[in-house]
Amino acid sequence: MFKHLAGSFAAAVRGRFYPVWVAYGLTLAMGLCTRVVLLARPDTQGVGGVLAGAGAFATGAFFDAVVATYFVLPLALWLALAPSRLVRSRAHRALVVLGVAAYAYLLLWVAIAEWLFWDEFGARFNFIAVDYLIYTREVLGNILESYPVGKLMSAAAAGAAIVAAGLAPSIWRRLGRDATRAVRLGSAGAVAAAAVLAIAFVSTSTRTDPGGDTARELGGNGIYQFFAAFRANSLDFPVFYATRPEPEASAFVRTQLTAAGERWPERPESSVERLVIDQLPEQRLNVVLVSEESLGAEFLGAFGNPRGLTPRLDALARESLLFTNVYATGNRTVRGLEALSLAIPPTPGESIVKRPGAEGLFTLGSVFENRGYEALFVYGGYGYFDNMNAYFEANDYRAVDRTMIPKERIHHENIWGVADEDLFDFAIEQFDRAYADGRPFFAHVMTTSNHRPYTYPDGRIDIPSGSGRDGAVKYSDWAIGHFIDEAKKHPWFGDTLFVLTADHGANARGTLDIPVAQYRIPLLFYAPKHIEPGRVERLMSQIDIAPTLLGRLHFSYRTKFFGHDLFATPPSEDRAFVANYQTLGYLRDGRLVTLMPQKRVRIGPYPIDGAAAARGGEPLSDEKLRDEAIAWYQLAFEAYRTRALAGDQSNREPPSAGMIRVTQPPKR
């Protein structure tokens, strides 16, 4: 029997099924080369030892074979069923050779794309790549402006031609040989059975991660991961993550939510609605919240960088209330926008900004809008990208973007947006209009210049445009200085609070492991007439910025935020949320809890710089810390799922003490 099977396999290889095995061989060879090249990158971390590396390469070869099975199945079925005369014809053989050349080109181009994607995100394709496929204009434009695409495509075409030329004689010759019906149907049936088994039993969770992120990523296949991400770019928390009994998780978080002195209303609209009542007079200052693209704290001299990339921000830091231990919730712009507007821990999968049901939510903009402010979202790019304009317009902001900036007012633009200076000048015009109408304004300004391809107007700084990240950082810093200088010329400047922060860090890459240090971002409160300069070294999450800002303005309001007003909360409650699309991190008490799919939980030490490491009181046990992390993320997911974050109109009248009920949620 085995002799018969071996003979049949040999006949299939020698005959018309030879192109199928060629495709398998090309896929495995290109997968191996891709892993070797990615592992050799200077920015790639080790795989955790020889055994881990061997496991990653073996797992990767398995996924390569799975991908090849999916691709060759139509060809195998065709070769099994096509008439022998057609298969042996010169036209058909030429078409198959061209098909092999096209397949080789596809594999080479995917390998190049994976290199570029790894360069940006430190990972193989994931749901970010799916998002980028949707926004082809920005993504293709960014690639064209950042890389020598023509040369890369020519190199891939040349490589595919060489491969096809080398294989053409054997393909031509073997397609001329016939095979028995049994060999043809058996070969096609084997490929079809392999495809069915792969669909039924193989998923991205099949990969192991014995050596951390690098081993896990090398153990995958970019094409497979792309389509897996396309099928599921959000994760159901109770299905994939460890949970606590709902009453326990809810009671804990509700207790934590009142740690800043908030109270529960007599008739709450949702499980997270509370009242913030400030005893001091409200300050109706204008507020400008600037979220700088990818401005990690590591670039600022105020945080120890000696290269002088941020002279204007460093000077502003000395004149501002500077928060030194703030951590972004994620590693993408939409995560930063979510944290700054909703003040909610990141839920697994896609940002709420891009999900269904992201309209009519309780946001920072709604608090200001209900007080008669002009609430604006001002973006330097096209706001349809990542659903930004639609999200903010549906949540009490007026969105304005580059489409509204006259061409003659633009000094420079690239595929991502106009130069930051042009964005800031345009924003100032919006502020002038609100001021002329007698309205205070709140504006969230999102920049784009500190993003690949790192281009900006010539003559602004001493680093040539397009030369790399350092130049983009220094130009972004120059533009902020220009913005403040111009704002000082306007009558509203004295009564305006500028909040300067980032959407995320520059190098916060990773899929399972979270590089917490790269999530650290700057935060400055600058209002010379109203806020004394100083330093705040307590641990702070990006979701705490909105309630801390409102606390500085002494607003009384109904809230559904999950963040804390840092100045109303004891240091013992300091914590931060850091996450990527599938790993959720909880930073507290010098330790990091990570929640991962398949209900995995990991706890390890992660000391925080400065005074933020000292939380006071007795340190929590690992078990309690684990339960805290789960409870926060679990309730955040449920709050979004059940529409508990929906907005209302009740903030038009500030809450009073008479709206408070006596009963409070149980204490821990």
Side-chain angles (χ1 to χ4, degrees):
M1 177 180 177
F2 290 109
K3 185 177 181 180
H4 175 72
L5 290 175
S8 297
F9 177 77
V13 171
R14 290 193 302 267
R16 66 163 71 186
F17 276 89
Y18 180 66
V20 171
W21 312 120
V22 165
Y24 269 104
L26 288 175
T27 308
L28 292 172
M30 186 55 62
L32 175 63
C33 292
T34 299
R35 288 182 190 88
V36 170
V37 172
L38 290 177
L39 184 59
R41 286 178 59 100
D43 62 341
T44 298
Q45 300 176 357
V47 293
V50 175
L51 289 178
F57 273 69
T59 303
F62 171 77
F63 275 96
D64 294 342
V66 169
V67 167
T69 299
Y70 293 150
F71 273 109
V72 304
L73 180 58
L75 176 62
L77 294 174
W78 166 253
L79 292 175
L81 301 174
S84 297
R85 174 190 253 175
L86 176 61
V87 172
R88 293 196 301 267
S89 69
R90 296 174 64 87
H92 182 268
R93 284 189 273 186
L95 187 62
V96 171
V97 170
L98 289 175
V100 169
Y103 187 62
Y105 179 80
L106 170 67
L107 293 176
L108 284 166
W109 185 241
V110 168
I112 292 170
E114 287 209 80
W115 170 277
L116 301 180
F117 192 82
W118 189 289
D119 191 52
E120 189 76 16
F121 299 104
R124 308 293 282 266
F125 292 151
N126 52 36
F127 85 97
I128 297 175
V130 176
D131 284 353
Y132 278 15
L133 183 67
I134 296 172
Y135 301 105
T136 52
R137 183 184 188 280
E138 283 78 0
V139 175
L140 291 178
N142 180 45
I143 292 172
L144 290 170
E145 292 177 355
S146 302
Y147 302 101
V149 174
K151 294 180 180 178
L152 293 175
M153 293 181 70
S154 299
I162 292 171
V163 170
L167 292 170
S170 58
I171 293 173
W172 193 277
R173 184 175 62 254
R174 297 190 189 204
L175 281 175
R177 301 172 182 171
D178 205 355
T180 66
R181 179 180 295 274
V183 169
R184 287 154 50 186
L185 295 180
S187 298
V191 175
V196 170
L197 290 172
I199 292 171
F201 298 108
V202 178
S203 69
T204 53
S205 63
T206 308
R207 291 182 297 164
T208 58
D209 57 323
D213 268 350
T214 299
R216 180 176 174 81
E217 290 303 303
L218 292 178
N221 175 283
I223 297 174
Y224 185 93
Q225 290 179 215
F226 177 87
F227 285 101
F230 189 84
R231 290 197 306 269
N233 63 358
S234 62
L235 298 171
D236 190 335
F237 189 92
V239 173
F240 291 96
Y241 294 86
T243 59
R244 294 179 62 185
E246 193 281 329
E248 292 181 13
S250 179
F252 166 76
V253 174
R254 282 165 61 84
T255 299
Q256 293 295 101
L257 289 175
T258 57
E262 294 125 346
R263 297 292 184 267
W264 299 96
E266 192 67 44
R267 291 178 295 278
E269 292 189 353
S270 76
S271 60
V272 295
E273 183 193 15
R274 294 100 59 212
L275 302 176
V276 177
I277 300 179
D278 200 300
Q279 303 300 324
L280 295 177
E282 182 176 301
Q283 289 187 291
R284 287 180 66 81
L285 300 180
N286 306 305
V287 177
V288 178
L289 168 61
V290 178
S291 52
E292 275 287 331
E293 170 68 45
S294 304
L295 188 66
E298 71 269 19
F299 294 115
L300 276 68
F303 289 82
N305 188 306
R307 290 179 291 164
L309 298 177
T310 57
R312 295 304 305 267
L313 275 169
D314 295 337
L316 282 172
R318 292 188 290 271
E319 303 170 16
S320 304
L321 188 60
L322 173 66
F323 299 81
T324 63
N325 276 290
V326 184
Y327 289 82
T329 60
N331 53 11
R332 293 202 63 210
T333 295
V334 282
R335 277 297 186 201
L337 298 178
E338 172 190 276
L340 292 168
S341 60
L342 293 174
I344 186 175
T347 49
E350 189 58 89
S351 166
I352 289 175
V353 172
K354 299 185 64 177
R355 291 188 192 177
E359 67 283 343
L361 302 178
F362 177 83
T363 63
L364 181 59
S366 68
V367 176
F368 283 105
E369 196 270 342
N370 286 335
R371 275 172 163 67
Y373 278 67
E374 170 82 355
L376 297 164
F377 173 68
V378 189
Y379 180 49
Y382 293 113
Y384 71 84
F385 185 79
D386 273 349
N387 202 47
M388 285 187 251
N389 276 2
Y391 167 79
F392 282 102
E393 287 280 1
N395 289 292
D396 291 323
Y397 294 75
R398 179 169 66 88
V400 292
D401 65 6
R402 72 189 287 179
T403 61
M404 303 177 187
I405 304 176
K407 285 289 185 183
E408 63 272 13
R409 303 286 300 278
I410 298 175
H411 293 85
H412 178 85
E413 60 183 325
N414 58 36
I415 196 62
W416 289 112
V418 301
D420 285 358
E421 62 189 90
D422 300 323
L423 170 66
F424 288 136
D425 289 345
F426 176 65
I428 286 176
E429 291 182 9
Q430 307 305 307
F431 307 159
D432 285 341
R433 291 176 185 173
Y435 181 80
D437 291 339
R439 298 183 67 186
F441 54 83
F442 162 68
H444 184 159
V445 182
M446 180 69 226
T447 71
T448 61
S449 288
N450 189 25
H451 192 295
R452 193 182 297 276
Y454 310 130
T455 59
Y456 40 84
D458 293 326
R460 302 297 192 260
I461 59 172
D462 56 0
I463 301 176
S465 172
S467 59
R469 172 78 73 179
D470 283 0
V473 170
K474 195 165 188 178
Y475 169 73
S476 298
D477 174 80
W478 178 92
I480 287 176
H482 164 80
F483 177 43
I484 297 298
D485 290 344
E486 290 300 311
K488 287 179 178 178
K489 302 174 184 177
H490 294 257
W492 42 260
F493 172 80
D495 289 322
T496 300
L497 169 58
F498 294 86
V499 180
L500 307 177
T501 188
D503 58 346
H504 56 80
N507 300 299
R509 307 187 299 182
T511 55
L512 282 182
D513 296 325
I514 298 177
V516 176
Q518 275 68 57
Y519 279 66
R520 192 180 182 190
I521 57 175
L523 174 63
L524 290 73
F525 281 14
Y526 174 71
K529 284 178 57 177
H530 299 278
I531 293 183
E532 291 290 328
R535 290 174 66 92
V536 180
E537 297 186 346
R538 289 174 53 183
L539 177 62
M540 186 176 177
S541 178
Q542 196 176 28
I543 73 170
D544 300 325
I545 293 177
T548 301
L549 162 64
L550 296 175
R552 296 299 293 183
L553 298 176
H554 304 298
F555 276 17
S556 294
Y557 61 103
R558 290 178 182 262
T559 182
K560 296 180 181 179
F561 293 150
F562 278 64
H564 287 158
D565 175 356
L566 198 70
F567 296 109
T569 311
S572 61
E573 303 301 327
D574 290 356
R575 78 285 174 272
F577 302 90
V578 288
N580 55 44
Y581 72 98
Q582 66 172 350
T583 300
L584 310 174
Y586 183 68
L587 192 60
R588 179 170 178 176
D589 195 22
R591 284 169 288 170
L592 174 66
V593 183
T594 49
L595 310 179
M596 294 166 284
Q598 298 179 311
K599 300 186 183 294
R600 290 174 291 169
V601 181
R602 186 170 58 199
I603 302 176
Y606 199 94
I608 298 298
D609 294 343
R615 62 180 292 274
E618 290 295 323
L620 298 177
S621 67
D622 281 357
E623 182 180 1
K624 287 187 176 181
L625 195 64
R626 170 189 180 275
D627 288 347
E628 278 196 12
I630 293 171
W632 277 111
Y633 282 112
Q634 183 176 333
L635 195 66
F637 176 85
E638 284 300 311
Y640 167 72
R641 187 185 66 82
T642 61
R643 293 287 297 175
L645 303 178
D648 57 62
Q649 299 298 312
S650 60
N651 277 309
R652 294 193 182 280
E653 294 296 330
S656 64
M659 302 171 68
I660 303 171
R661 70 180 185 194
V662 177
T663 28
Q664 296 295 313
K667 298 293 182 182
R668 282 187 294 165

